[in-house]
Each structure stands twice: as C-alpha cells, then as structure tokens.
Amino acid sequence: RKRENFKWSDIRNQYVLIYFCASWHPESVAEQDSLQTVLKALKKENFIVCSISLDLDKEAWLKASDRDTTQWKQLCDFKGWNNTLIKGQNIQELPSNLLLDKNKRIIARNIRGQELIDKVKDLIQKDKEKEKVTIYYVTDEQQQSQYINMFKAEGMDAVNASASSKDGKALVTFTNLDLDQAAEVVLELRGGRV
C-alpha cells in the first residue's frame, strides 16, 4: 500500500464518513464489511470514507493496513484515545462514525448500513434539486416551436420547455434543467441545429 500524506483541504464537494476504529478492536474490523457494501451502493456518488485508527503501535497498524482491502483513506496519528478529533467530538466507543456534509459540518453520528445509504442518496438528490437552472432563449416566432419540438424529441420533455411571443420575437424557456441538460441545451442552441 502506498503511503501518502493526507490533507482535509483535498476533500472538496463530497460527503465524508469518518470511521473511528482500531486494528485491535474486533467489532471495528467486522464493521468494515458493511462499509464495503455502503461504498458499493454509493460508488457513483460524491461520497468517501476515511477511517481514523486509534492504534498506538505503528507496526501493528501498518500490518493491519497492508492486509486490509478497504477502498478508503486510512489515517492514524498513533495517539489512541488522545487523538484531537476523538477528544473534540467526545467519541467514547468503537466503532463510531461521523457523517460530514460538503462543508465538513457534522450532519449525523453513528449512522450505518441502509440508513447511511438512504441518507447520503437523499442529500445528493437535494443537492441536485438545488442545482436546477433555467435558460431563456430569444429567437423568432418561426423557430420557436422547432426548438421546443427538437428538445422534446431528444427526450427532454421533462424540462418544461415553453414559449411566448411578443413583438415578433419569441422566448423559449427551459426550466428545471440539471446541469448536464443545461449544457446540452446551450450547445444545441449555440450550434444552431434548427
């Protein structure tokens, strides 16, 4: 396993589960299997796991880390229960965890399994709703219905394209677009396919 430095500032725009464990603690080791299931369920989402070990013995921790197949960052400062985060968050037992939002604020404690999966998916869905955009495009009346029909034919009928006409100019409005759809609409309009 490659040893590398870790900075919290490198984690951007992701939900983070901080998992507190120790190589000498059987329940911590056993819970890693359920975390693998969580990661698999959320692999396409902005979600990562970072474990913080309470190990005191560096060699024991490195040995456990080398045989471990986890797919997340594993950290240890070898201070055990005197770790700053452990003390600051009043962690009293293992295994424990903290779920952080994209701004690194704690939004849940000791959340596991399907409850964790559902929570992260719900948060990500709410993020997507916040990212909805509206595009207004001015064209002439003749092209107005062509634009709407083109985008609806491309499966974008859910974007609620509508049109209004005033003074020979037509306004086409695409609402409720996610960012990928918005990029597609802008490319189509700029490309002048109609």
Side-chain angles (χ1 to χ4, degrees), residues 143-177:
Q143 289 184 322
Q144 180 185 52
S145 62
Q146 289 176 304
Y147 276 118
I148 292 171
N149 291 335
M150 176 182 72
F151 287 109
K152 287 192 177 197
E154 292 182 9
M156 298 181 83
D157 53 334
V159 301
N160 303 319
S162 61
S164 61
S165 180
K166 185 178 179 183
D167 301 330
K169 296 282 184 187
L171 177 67
V172 181
T173 306
F174 301 92
T175 60
N176 204 30
L177 294 151

Side-chain angles (χ1 to χ4, degrees), residues 96-121:
S96 290
N97 68 53
L98 302 172
L99 179 61
L100 308 182
D101 68 9
K102 293 180 176 184
N103 296 311
K104 300 182 180 88
R105 291 182 300 227
I106 299 169
I107 53 177
R109 290 176 177 264
N110 296 320
I111 185 170
R112 294 176 168 83
Q114 192 60 48
E115 182 184 8
L116 173 58
I117 293 167
D118 292 343
K119 176 77 171 176
V120 172
K121 285 185 175 182

Side-chain angles (χ1 to χ4, degrees), residues 12-63:
R12 295 185 191 100
N13 204 33
Q14 290 180 308
Y15 291 96
V16 180
L17 184 75
I18 301 176
Y19 172 62
F20 299 97
C21 58
S23 66
W24 45 262
H25 189 262
E27 290 86 3
S28 295
V29 176
E31 190 167 301
Q32 290 185 0
D33 289 339
S34 67
L35 283 175
Q36 294 284 10
T37 303
V38 168
L39 273 176
K40 187 175 181 181
L42 297 171
K43 68 181 175 182
K44 294 183 180 178
E45 308 296 351
N46 288 326
F47 173 78
I48 62 169
V49 174
C50 179
S51 68
I52 296 180
S53 176
L54 275 69
D55 281 83
L56 294 169
D57 183 335
K58 185 174 184 175
E59 290 305 314
W61 178 74
L62 289 173
K63 187 175 179 182

